[in-house]
């Protein structure tokens, strides 16, 4: 189960490792030998990343087929803790899964992962709203997290993590993929022998992307960068990583995107003629009104950036945060 799936040939030649619940890739590892293949993830996103599939239940030694598992809240004598149990046989797999997850996530931490896709609803892999059973006859509460997912998110708190079901939402999908590529850029910078000047340049390139998510985060990061001189560099990197990734988790809204588009358009005020200016304003207004997707104003702005060779804007990751073929900015 440690086999790695190579990304397909194509534009995604850069190595971007992304962990994934093996069943989402189509591997027949579910309790009944089935899978939960997601074609967008395997075929479209898979062209740009290298998947690292993990099936915690199989890897910890449960076979295929196997008994179904569920989360169950123990009684008062067990402190009300959530357990991973096989209801038919009554076997409790909690300790086994917890110790497997600690070890496996530690290994995954060395893989330089840039994201992780989990199978929703699973008592092992589910990220949120997993059913937790209590007493017979009482409906399960939907407030659990799979035990493997829990350990993953505990050990790697900045790693972009999403569930396959939530990735059907265009906004969540865009946000998640954007974070994968942002984390990759971050790790590329801080994985090498970086200088303070590199951090300043990184922060400048990410400015507009951060502003589309959260202005406060951008300002906090700015203060961190400004006060970084003379401080322990590892500590600065740790603080920057946590703030940067938390900021990008905040959803970019149409209003915040519009502000960023207007900001970019401001650079062309004196460079383009009246009819081009009007066209730009109309396209941005159409986006703000929800009549066209984000890709429309961004494409027009990129055209002007190229034509007028504005280096500061050309370097902004906001204009190219992820491969255009993923069509993530094409939703309404
Ligand atoms: S949800 Fe997780 S544990 Fe269950 S089959 Fe898929 S990879 Fe395995």
């Amino acid at each position: 189960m440690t086999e790695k799936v190579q990304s397909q040939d194509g534009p995604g030649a850069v190595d971007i490792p992304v962990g994934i619940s093996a069943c989402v890739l189509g591997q027949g590892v579910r309790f009944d030998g089935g899978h939960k293949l997601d074609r967008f993830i395997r075929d479209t996103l898979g062209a740009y990343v290298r998947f690292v599939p993990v099936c915690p239940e199989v890897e910890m030694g449960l076979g295929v087929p196997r008994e179904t598992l569920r989360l169950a809240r123990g009684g008062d004598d067990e402190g009300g803790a959530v357990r991973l149990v096989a209801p038919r046989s009554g076997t409790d797999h909690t300790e086994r899964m917890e110790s497997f997850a600690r070890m496996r996530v530690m290994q995954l931490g060395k893989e330089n992962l840039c994201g992780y896709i989990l199978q929703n609803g699973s008592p092992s892999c589910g990220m949120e709203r997993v059913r937790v059973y209590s007493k017979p006859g009482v409906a399960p509460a939907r407030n659990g997290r799979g035990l493997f997912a829990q350990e993953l998110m505990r050990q790697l708190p900045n790693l972009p993590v999403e569930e396959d079901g939530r990735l059907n939402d265009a906004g969540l999908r865009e946000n998640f993929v954007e974070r994968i590529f942002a984390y990759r850029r971050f790790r590329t910078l801080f994985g090498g022998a970086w200088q303070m000047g590199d951090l300043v340049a990184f922060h400048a390139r990410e400015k507009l992307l951060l502003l589309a998510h959260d202005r406060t985060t951008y300002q906090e990061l700015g203060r961190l960068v400004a006060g970084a001189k003379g401080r322990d560099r590892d500590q600065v990197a740790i603080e920057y990583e946590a703030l940067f990734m938390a900021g990008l988790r905040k959803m970019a809204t149409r209003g915040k995107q519009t502000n960023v588009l207007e900001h970019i358009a401001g650079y062309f005020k004196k460079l383009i003629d009246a009819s081009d200016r009007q066209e730009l304003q109309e396209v941005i207004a159409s986006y703000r009104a929800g009549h066209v997707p984000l890709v429309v104003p961004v494409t027009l702005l990129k055209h002007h950036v190229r034509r007028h060779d504005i280096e500061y804007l050309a370097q902004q990751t906001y204009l190219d945060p992820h491969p255009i073929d993923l069509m993530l900015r094409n939703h309404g």
Side-chain angles (χ1 to χ4, degrees):
M1 198 52 55
T2 51
E3 165 208 6
K4 292 176 187 174
V5 175
Q6 294 299 319
S7 60
Q8 300 162 8
D9 289 340
V14 182
D15 182 31
I16 304 179
V18 172
I20 187 167
S21 296
C23 56
V24 177
L25 269 191
Q27 296 185 4
V29 289
R30 297 194 75 216
F31 68 97
D32 57 358
H35 59 73
K36 296 285 272 184
L37 174 64
D38 183 304
R39 288 183 192 283
F40 166 79
I41 291 170
R42 186 192 66 180
D43 301 336
T44 308
L45 185 56
Y48 294 91
V49 304
R50 171 172 61 82
F51 286 125
V52 180
V54 178
C55 176
E57 293 177 15
V58 169
E59 287 193 29
M60 78 176 204
L62 304 179
V64 179
R66 60 183 175 275
E67 264 191 275
T68 54
L69 304 182
R70 60 160 64 160
L71 295 179
R73 192 166 293 285
D76 291 343
D77 50 332
E78 296 165 313
V82 171
R83 319 284 303 171
L84 180 66
V85 297
R88 190 161 54 80
S89 65
T91 312
D92 188 328
H93 292 287
T94 311
E95 273 79 31
R96 194 173 170 191
M97 176 59 89
E98 285 177 343
S99 118
F100 164 79
R102 271 196 300 277
M103 177 277 295
R104 190 69 175 96
V105 174
M106 215 175 285
Q107 284 177 350
L108 289 167
K110 296 175 188 150
E111 294 260 3
N112 232 1
L113 295 183
C114 296
Y116 209 106
I117 300 169
L118 291 161
Q119 167 60 37
N120 62 292
S122 157
S124 301
C125 292
M127 182 179 84
E128 60 178 34
R129 294 174 48 77
V130 178
R131 287 190 179 88
V132 181
Y133 292 79
S134 51
K135 299 185 181 107
V138 175
R142 279 183 163 271
N143 59 4
R145 172 170 287 168
L147 295 198
F148 181 80
Q150 188 161 301
E151 184 61 18
L152 178 77
M153 296 170 84
R154 188 188 70 78
Q155 280 194 41
L156 306 174
N158 300 319
L159 183 70
V161 177
E162 257 305 349
E163 291 189 323
D164 67 329
R166 282 165 51 93
L167 290 176
N168 291 324
D169 178 290
L172 292 175
R173 177 188 291 191
E174 181 186 347
N175 177 277
F176 176 61
V177 177
E178 200 168 272
R179 283 187 288 138
I180 288 178
F181 281 87
Y183 204 37
R184 173 70 193 176
R185 292 193 297 275
F186 174 86
R187 298 192 77 117
T188 302
L189 168 68
F190 288 103
W194 62 279
Q195 305 293 324
M196 278 303 170
D198 299 324
L199 176 60
V200 172
F202 179 89
H203 185 62
R205 285 195 301 274
E206 302 292 336
K207 173 180 175 175
L208 298 184
L209 189 70
L210 280 164
L211 287 178
H213 287 268
D214 187 47
R215 176 173 287 276
T216 306
T217 300
Y218 171 71
Q219 291 166 337
E220 279 179 46
L221 285 169
R223 282 193 287 276
L224 177 61
V225 173
K229 204 170 169 207
R231 290 190 61 204
D232 178 69
R233 291 195 315 159
D234 289 345
Q235 187 56 33
V236 170
I238 288 168
E239 291 173 26
Y240 195 97
E241 175 178 353
L243 260 174
F244 180 62
M245 296 312 295
L248 294 182
R249 253 200 311 273
K250 295 182 181 155
M251 295 296 285
T253 62
R254 197 171 284 276
K256 289 186 273 187
Q257 298 277 22
T258 301
N259 289 342
V260 172
L261 297 171
E262 299 277 14
H263 178 80
I264 299 173
Y267 279 81
F268 303 110
K269 259 187 193 146
K270 292 181 181 154
L271 294 173
I272 58 181
D273 63 26
S275 78
D276 280 350
R277 267 202 306 279
Q278 190 181 346
E279 182 192 33
L280 204 44
Q281 286 310 318
E282 281 173 6
V283 166
I284 293 173
S286 292
Y287 167 73
R288 182 172 39 209
H291 299 150
V292 297
L294 182 59
V295 68
V296 176
V298 167
T299 303
L300 185 57
L301 285 167
K302 279 166 73 173
H303 161 75
H304 287 302
V305 169
R306 271 194 307 271
R307 204 167 123 206
H308 297 283
D309 198 17
I310 301 179
E311 196 187 341
Y312 168 71
L313 291 179
Q315 289 180 350
Q316 287 297 311
T317 57
Y318 177 81
L319 292 175
D320 282 298
H322 35 61
I324 197 158
D325 292 354
L326 292 174
M327 308 225 293
L328 295 169
R329 286 174 155 179
N330 297 42
H331 60 92

